[in-house]
Amino acid sequence: MNVLVLNGPNLNLLGKREPDIYGHETLADIENALRHRAFNEGVEIDFFQTNHEGAMLDRIHDARARVDAIIINPAAWSHTSVALLDALKAFEGKVVEVHLSNIHTRESFRHHSYISSRADGVIAGLGSFGYLAALDFLTR
Ligand code: DQA
């Protein structure tokens, strides 16, 4: 199995950005934990973070027919991007949407995610463990 982990805008600032909401771990910490778990499971894993929506769309197009599953934290694009939804609809594999925070207990504009209608599963509010839970689900 081949898994691609995608992180959207501002997630490069994890650990520094609103740590009371998003925690003290950096994105590198999260990626290292995932790399370790993937290695133990014999899963190939790749990572991509961008603050540029077009770059994210291109990376998803590139994953078509090459990647079995995507774990994505679309960050703010969850709430705004039909283009990201459409790109994921053009991807044939499994998609798990992850949010560090519980978007449903926050501001109302975060309650709706365009991505959720395409996702096979949605995890919110489990902090960085959400990414590992997503990987566990995919490797079951
Ligand atoms: C987030 C939640 C989004 O509402 C927010 O814009 C983010 C991060 C999360 O992981 O909790 O940037 O996706």
Side-chain angles (χ1 to χ4, degrees):
M1 171 173 276
N2 200 305
V3 175
L4 176 63
V5 181
L6 299 174
N7 280 286
N10 304 308
L11 293 172
N12 55 309
L13 295 180
L14 278 182
K16 298 180 206 145
R17 170 195 183 207
E18 299 182 274
D20 44 318
I21 296 175
Y22 298 117
H24 291 276
E25 279 176 279
T26 65
L27 188 57
D29 294 333
I30 292 171
E31 290 181 352
N32 282 336
L34 282 166
R35 202 174 277 116
H36 188 76
R37 182 77 65 104
F39 178 79
N40 288 341
E41 297 289 333
V43 171
E44 267 186 53
I45 197 156
D46 208 358
F47 302 94
F48 183 68
Q49 187 279 327
T50 182
N51 297 321
H52 304 276
E53 191 171 349
M56 182 63 91
L57 302 181
D58 289 345
R59 191 68 186 81
I60 292 168
H61 295 176
D62 187 57
R64 295 180 69 239
R66 291 200 213 193
V67 170
D68 298 312
I70 288 176
I71 296 170
I72 184 166
N73 185 343
W77 293 329
S78 315
H79 320 300
T80 61
S81 183
V82 175
L84 185 53
L85 168 63
D86 286 347
L88 288 166
K89 280 179 152 178
F91 172 76
E92 303 84 353
K94 293 262 183 215
V95 174
V96 182
E97 177 182 357
V98 173
H99 299 279
L100 293 151
S101 65
N102 183 352
I103 53 176
H104 302 289
T105 59
R106 299 183 62 195
E107 304 97 318
S108 57
F109 63 83
R110 296 186 202 274
H111 295 181
H112 176 259
S113 165
Y114 284 101
I115 310 312
S116 298
S117 67
R118 162 62 183 94
D120 295 285
V122 181
I123 298 170
L126 303 187
S128 63
F129 175 71
Y131 291 88
L132 291 172
L135 184 60
D136 280 359
F137 163 73
L138 292 170
T139 56
R140 278 165 82 95

